[in-house]
Each structure stands twice: as C-alpha cells, then as structure tokens.
Amino acid sequence: MSDSVQQVEQLVGQEYRWGFVSPVEADTVPKGLDEDVIRLISAKKQEPDFLLQWRLDAYRHWLGLAEPHWSSAHYAPIDYQDIIYYSAPKTQDRPKSLDEVDPELLRTYDKLGIPLKEQELLAGVAVDAVFDSVSVATTFKAQLKKLGIIFCSFSEAVREHPDLVRQYLGSVVPPGDNFFATLNSAVFSDGSFVYVPKGVRCPMELSTYFRINARATGQFERTLIVADEGATVSYLEGCTAPMRDEHQLHAAVVELVALEGATIKYSTVQNWYPGDKEGKGGIYNFVTKRGDCRGANSKISWTQVETGSAITWKYPSVILRGDNSVGEFYSVALANHFQQADTGTKMVHIGRNTRSTILSKGISAGHGSNAYRGLVKVLKSAHGARNYTQCDSLLMGDRCAAHTFPVIEVKNPAAGVEHEASTSKIGEDQLFYCKQRGIAEEDAVSMIVNGFCKEVFKELPMEFAVEAQKLLQVSLEGAIG
Amino acid sequence: MLEIRDLYAAVDGKTILKGITLTVNPGEVHAIMGPNGSGKSTLANILAGREGYRVESGSITWFGRDLTALPPEERAREGIFLAFQYPVEIPGVSNLYFLKAALNARRKHRGEPELDAMDFLALVKGKMADVGMDEAFLYRAVNEGFSGGEKKRNEILQMAVLEPTLAILDETDSGLDIDALKAVAAGVNRLRAPDRSIVLVTHYQRLLDHVVPDQVHVLAQGRIVKSGGRELALELEQRGYGWIEQEVAHEPLL
C-alpha cells in the first residue's frame, strides 16, 4: 500500500509538492495580479529565465488591453484583482470523501455510469490513489517513450524539454494575441505538452484522463501539441463527466503545430459547471484554440462537444499555411437553462489547394442562447482553396435563441466557398410521432437531438461518442415539458 | 374492445366532433368515410391522444378503461397504432434504430424481454419483404427524403413490426399509385386476426376494393350519419357525399 502511495505521489505530486508544501506557503500567493505574483509563479515552478521574461512581457502587454465585448455573451464585469492566480487552494478545499460531494453531481455520475473510483477523481476528492489508472498511466508512458513521444505536463516539459518549449510556445497563439490569451500567457499554471517525432504514428489516443497529474491544472491551462514531419496524433481533452470546479473564469490556450505531412486530431468534450437552473454561478470558458498547418499536406481537425459552462467563448481555428493542407471543425454546442454559447471557428487559407470543412450544430433549450461565429478567409496566395461550411441550429421551446454570424473573405478568384445554414425546431409533430410509437418523451428528445448531432459525433473516437450522447441526454433533462 | 360514447371533441377550441358513438369489437375492420372537414382525422388523432385535441364530453373506453386518461405513449404501448396521414421526418435517426426503440418500448410494457440487435434485424427483414421495401431503408433516416409512397409503406412496415391491437390508418391510401395501394392493402390484410381491429379512415372507397370492411360509417359535420356494410361504400362512390350532407342538413341539430 505505502509503496503504491509513494508511486502515486511521485507521479502525481511533483507540482503539488513544490507548489504547496504547506498551507502557510500557499497563503503567500495573494489575490490579485502584479509582476510580483508572476515572478512568484515562475519561481515556484523553477522556470528558466526566458519563460519568466515571456510571462512578464505578456503581462505588460495585457495591461494595455481591454476586455473584448464583441461576442453576444452578457455577464457582469470580472474583477481581475479578485482572482487567485495560482491554484493552490484546490488541494486543500477538496472534499475528503464522496459524502461531502453535492448529491446532485453524484446522481449525474450514476446516470453516466461512471465507476466509483473515477467519480472520486472527477469530483476532486483527495483520493489516496486510483491504482488502476496509475498503473495504466505508467505502462502507457513507457510505451510512448519507446517511440520517442513526449507526453507530459507543461511544467515538466519546461524542465525536461526547454528547447522544444522555447521553439514552439506562442508560435501559433502569440502572447499578445487577445485579452484572454495574453492573460493566460502571463499567468498560466499548467497544462499538457505533446511532441510526436518525425514519421511516428502515435499508437493510442492521448487523453488527459490517463495523465491524472494534469487534473488540477486550474483555470489558466496551456496546451501545446507538436506533430513533426509525417507524424500522426489524436488527442482527447477533458472528461465526459461534469467537473466539480468553483473557478469562475477559465482562460485556456491551446496551440497545435503540424509540420509537413503531419496530422493532429483534437477532440474535446467540455462539461464544466453550467450554473444552476436560474442561471446562478457557472464557469466562464474563454478559450483560445488555434492550429497551424505549417507544412505542406498537413491536417488539423478539431471536434468539440460543448455542453457545460455558463458562457462559452471559443473559436478553435486553423491556419492553412502549407500547400494542400486540410483544416476541419466539427462542433456540437448546447445551451440550456441560462447558458450562453458563442463558438465557431476561423479557417485562414494561405497555401495552395488548401481545404477546410466546418460543420456546426447548435442546440438551444430553456433560456439558452447559442451563436455560431465563423470566419473563412482565403488569401490571394491560396489558389484552388476550398471551403464547405454548414451551420445548423436546433431550438427546443420558445424562450431560447440561435444566431449565426458567418464572415467570408475571399481574395483569390479561383477559390470555392460554400455556406449552408438551417434552423429547425423540435416540433410537437416529431415528438408526437415518437410517442405514438410508444417511445417516452425524454427518450424521444434525446433521439431527435442525437440524430441532429450525428455527423459530428461520428468524428469523435468511439468511446467518447457514446459518452457524449449520454451527456447530452443528461444535460437536456427536463428541457421540454 | 373500443367503445366511443357520445363523443364531443375540439381542436384549438373549435368543436369538431359532435356526438360520435362507435363500438369496435375484436377482429373487426371499420371504414370511416366522409367528405373533407367532416372530422375523420380528428377522430383518429383523438384516439391516439394528440396534443391540442381535447375531449369535451362523452367517453372512450379501451378494454373497460378510460382511454382519455392515458398519455399517447401509454396508448401506443397498449397496442393502439396510428398510421399517420403525413409521416414525420426525423433526420439523423435511422429507421432501424427508431423501429427497434418502438418495439422494445412495447415489449417492455408487456413484460417481454427486449429484442437484441440480431433478433430484431431478423424480424424486421422478414417484415420488409412482406411490405416490399428494400432493406436499404433500414439505414436511412426516418422518412427523410422518402417519396410519398415510401413514407406510407414505412408506416405499414412499422405497423407490421409493432403488431397493434387496434390499427388506425389515417388516409394512408391517399396519393398512392396502384402498386403502393396494393402493398398497403396487403399489409392491412396480413394484420387481420381475430384479436385485432382495424379502423380505416379514408376519403375514397378504392382501398375497400382490397380490404373488405365489416362496417362502413359515414361521418358528416362531426357525426356518424350513416352506417352500413361494404355496399354503402360503393353507393358513396357512385353518388358522392352530397346526398348524405343534404340528409343531415334536414335533420334537426342537437
């Protein structure tokens, strides 16, 4: 037992041990943000000097930026001095057992069929050890290492592979990119780092679930994935169960780099706390995700299922720089109760014969509001570029809203851009048809919604797709009736 | 089995059915005919429990129970099937999945074990051959992009799979070519059994050439104004609905 505990601590606890040695030390990270806080974060993480400078530059730039308000989301002003920029309290505030966890949350876990040990992990219980996962994680790491694949926490990457980090960090989302990305650059706490070497096809889906030491990365997460020439990798982000998290603001940054002939597939199922039925509480999910098809014949594919968060502000994009490169965006976004989702993508065609596909499915229920916001930009250099966009909205009830804001800029006359949009309502006639065949209303709603999302779900890895369906069902409970 | 007594019913607040009385016994086939707007489809939808269709007075009993107290899905599981006049499209949901969910809901209600994918596939393929539908329809979304005739055949397929105790066909014959009409008729005839009943709501008598009813009822202005055998349908075919409406007009209204 104690051996295993030690193993776990070695694997899990490194950042914690250095970061949060004692409550006293944790208390020394004060609320609010200034250069001292950033120096402190950097020092705690024993970062090289270039990274500290990088953070400070970002911070100084951020001071001159204003919070963007062009999205259709409405929320009270955020007090950036009222946030703790180092997630130390997380380990101390954890419930000691499942008895202390919100029963409503546990009920949801049961519906999703999540095993007890996993429930503890997801709910943030201070688990002594989830031995199965740990052993999985360990064998998993060894196997990857043999292939030269690096898959570790961002902090570990900074320590172990500083040259790679220095080469690629901020090369897709520069530190001054936008208000939230800049804030993230200054204060990011941790995240994931993946490097797949030349010609290597990663033999398994890389998932944060296996790398359990990433679970408490906090509100300013930073992920960097680099696929070297001819490499292939599929990455799964998040987990399919509702995460217990009290942080109001999540401002994450994800950067993907695909070199010549490389393929990156990035799948997300996001289910942060959406707030209650009256719209109180919930996560503000303000995320910058961008991929760079840097080499010819490269491909980046985003698939997202967004069911959580009070507000989602997220536009996973692809810069199609290399000739013949391919960008894809498949999205399902759900806004129930008082949730607001403003999401979409940017496809920037620079190289010749670049192709992009956008498939967006928005579901609005209750008082939820869902917006698709997208940009397809074809530069002069992009001869033969092609884009296909399809945006569908599904409305449930008559108090919700759906919006579509597509922007298309084409500077090359030989490019082809297609856009299709539809809005439909779950009709009384569809529901009655199902019910007349003996199908219960809840099952009918979930059947109709899943049918609507089918084209996106089939892009998800199999297991994820099944859980995403269950998740939609749970999220839509009582949406009609 | 089904007893309708002096039924008054409204759609969107407007009274359409004005005193319907009808008894359907096991094994019987009833045809409900009548001009447009006479209340035929309202009767079909009232029996299925569609929202917006409200019983104002009178009673409907189903094996001695008050049918109106049951929600539509319960009625379906109890064996009441409505073949829709306008079958609904459900994009992204395969016919196979939909049918299996429907059948298993009914089986569960009856305390029977649910069918697994293999058993269900075997069952449904047999039924498809009966109806003359290509198996490819199983993998297409429910009614999406189906022609009018294909949609009606699909209703008959669902009926064949669900084996209802009471099948109500709401103008299933309208707009069909002769082949599809024959397929629908054959589907209905196959279903005929001593413990099952069928109500055919139809405007024309041509379906009745293929499905011979035990009783024919003529609906006009929300009431059954004439009942008879097969010959009544033929008379309507020859003389149209005008003479019946005139007869009704001369009767004192209640």
Side-chain angles (χ1 to χ4, degrees), chain A residues 145-385:
Chain A
K145 203 174 171 185
K146 232 185 270 171
L147 293 165
I149 296 170
I150 302 167
F151 178 34
C152 61
S153 73
F154 206 95
S155 307
E156 192 182 328
V158 169
R159 288 192 306 272
E160 307 291 329
H161 313 281
D163 294 340
L164 278 175
V165 172
R166 191 169 189 167
Q167 186 181 349
Y168 291 105
L169 178 68
S171 70
V172 186
V173 180
D177 190 78
N178 69 69
F179 184 84
F180 295 112
T182 305
L183 177 62
N184 174 288
S185 301
V187 302
F188 72 87
S189 34
D190 211 333
S192 300
F193 178 81
V194 177
Y195 174 79
V196 185
K198 266 185 200 172
V200 172
R201 175 176 287 270
C202 185
M204 62 196 79
E205 316 270 355
L206 298 183
S207 135
T208 40
Y209 170 68
F210 287 117
R211 199 172 58 69
I212 57 172
N213 56 342
R215 72 167 181 245
T217 46
Q219 63 201 114
F220 300 103
E221 202 172 332
R222 185 120 199 158
T223 297
L224 173 57
I225 299 176
V226 180
D228 213 324
E229 290 171 20
T232 298
V233 62
S234 170
Y235 185 87
L236 313 182
E237 177 197 51
C239 70
T240 50
M243 288 287 267
R244 180 181 177 278
D245 199 309
E246 297 82 6
H247 284 303
Q248 281 296 112
L249 173 66
H250 275 253
V253 172
V254 176
E255 297 180 275
L256 311 182
V257 180
L259 300 183
E260 192 176 333
T263 297
I264 302 176
K265 184 174 172 60
Y266 193 104
S267 311
T268 307
V269 174
Q270 182 267 114
N271 193 24
W272 300 107
Y273 183 52
D276 66 12
K277 284 169 188 160
E278 275 73 50
K280 255 187 228 137
I283 304 296
Y284 296 168
N285 193 29
F286 299 160
V287 179
T288 305
K289 290 186 168 177
R290 196 174 302 154
D292 188 357
C293 282
R294 208 162 280 183
N297 305 308
S298 57
K299 177 178 174 181
I300 289 178
S301 179
W302 298 101
T303 306
Q304 61 173 23
V305 176
E306 303 281 325
T307 62
S309 296
I311 302 174
T312 297
W313 181 97
K314 181 180 163 187
Y315 315 91
S317 307
V318 184
I319 299 163
L320 297 152
R321 205 182 297 278
D323 291 346
N324 310 312
S325 59
V326 175
E328 293 172 340
F329 174 74
Y330 301 101
S331 169
V332 166
L334 167 79
N336 194 5
H337 303 308
F338 284 86
Q339 280 176 277
Q340 307 173 63
D342 195 298
T343 184
T345 184
K346 279 191 276 187
M347 293 289 174
V348 182
H349 293 256
I350 300 171
R352 301 171 76 94
N353 300 316
T354 45
R355 281 163 292 149
S356 62
T357 304
I358 298 170
L359 183 54
S360 162
K361 303 273 182 179
I363 303 159
S364 313
H367 290 89
S369 165
N370 215 320
Y372 167 80
R373 191 181 300 279
L375 170 69
V376 176
K377 193 170 186 170
V378 180
L379 300 192
K380 222 171 177 171
S381 52
H383 294 289

Side-chain angles (χ1 to χ4, degrees), chain B residues 128-150:
Chain B
M128 291 192 95
D130 290 346
V131 183
M133 269 175 95
D134 193 279
E135 282 173 23
F137 280 96
L138 280 180
Y139 305 100
R140 287 177 58 181
V142 179
N143 292 322
E144 196 183 36
F146 288 24
S147 72
E150 286 165 350

Side-chain angles (χ1 to χ4, degrees), chain B residues 172-246:
Chain B
T172 303
D173 54 334
S174 61
L176 293 187
D177 62 32
I178 190 69
D179 286 345
L181 184 75
K182 280 184 177 164
V184 166
V188 174
N189 284 328
R190 249 191 313 274
L191 200 72
R192 286 183 92 150
D195 56 346
R196 287 208 190 102
S197 312
I198 294 159
V199 173
L200 303 170
V201 173
T202 180
H203 188 79
Y204 305 103
Q205 86 86 35
R206 61 176 191 157
L207 178 64
L208 308 183
D209 287 340
H210 305 281
V211 181
V212 180
D214 297 301
Q215 290 188 47
V216 174
H217 310 279
V218 181
L219 211 61
Q221 295 171 25
R223 287 189 295 151
I224 292 176
V225 292
K226 217 168 184 62
S227 294
R230 168 91 220 281
E231 66 290 346
L232 177 57
L234 293 169
E235 192 178 357
L236 287 168
E237 166 104 321
Q238 284 181 354
R239 299 178 61 187
Y241 287 110
W243 61 280
I244 287 198
E245 284 182 311
Q246 273 179 357

Side-chain angles (χ1 to χ4, degrees), chain A residues 428-430 432-441 447-448 450-452 454 469, chain B residues 50-51 73 76-77 80-82 84 88-89 91-93 97 102 105 143 155 158:
Chain A
E428 289 300 331
D429 53 348
Q430 275 177 330
F432 178 64
Y433 192 65
C434 294
K435 288 199 271 190
Q436 212 302 306
R437 297 300 181 251
I439 298 165
E441 178 161 285
M447 189 188 279
I448 294 165
N450 278 312
F452 174 75
K454 193 179 182 180
Q469 287 188 19
Chain B
R50 187 171 201 139
E51 209 172 301
E73 60 272 30
R77 292 174 203 153
I80 294 178
F81 179 91
L82 172 66
F84 283 58
V88 179
E89 298 186 5
V93 178
Y97 184 84
N143 292 322
E155 295 291 289
Q158 292 180 17

Side-chain angles (χ1 to χ4, degrees), chain A residues 43-60:
Chain A
K44 276 176 183 295
K45 298 171 87 67
Q46 300 185 317
E47 288 177 350
D49 196 47
F50 86 86
L51 199 50
L52 173 63
Q53 278 314 314
W54 199 79
R55 287 178 182 273
L56 288 173
D57 288 347
Y59 174 68
R60 288 166 195 150

